[in-house]
Amino acid sequence: MLHGSIRHIQTSWVKLGVDGTRAMLRAGADDVGGTLMEETISRMAGSEHGSAKTIADLHEIGEGIGRPMRERTTTYGVPVRAAV
C-alpha cells in the first residue's frame, strides 16, 4: 500500500544501540540520524544506549556491516561545503 511513498527510513542509534541500528540497516533503513551533543529524552525514558556519537562512530556502525555512510542535508541532498 505504501510502496514508493516512503523514500527514507531512519533508525535511532540512541534508542537501539549499535547492534539494533545495524539490524535496522540490514532490514532496509537507510538513515542513521546524526550526532548528538547531549541527548536526555531517550535516556530519561529508559534507553540504555549512549548519549553522543562522533562522525567516526557513526561511520563505523554502517561500515561494520558493509553499508558505507555519507553525510546528507535535511532533504537528503549532498551538503555544500563552505570555503574556510
Side-chain angles (χ1 to χ4, degrees), residues 13-50:
W13 59 265
V14 175
K15 294 172 182 66
L16 301 173
V18 171
D19 291 338
T21 298
R22 286 177 172 166
M24 293 297 292
L25 288 169
R26 285 187 197 102
D30 68 343
D31 187 347
V32 174
T35 59
L36 295 174
M37 295 305 291
E38 181 62 31
E39 197 287 328
T40 57
I41 296 171
S42 294
R43 288 186 300 136
M44 288 174 66
S47 176
E48 297 177 5
H49 304 290

Side-chain angles (χ1 to χ4, degrees), residues 6 27 29 34 53 60 81-82:
I6 301 173
K53 291 247 184 271
E60 166 53 30
R81 297 282 177 211

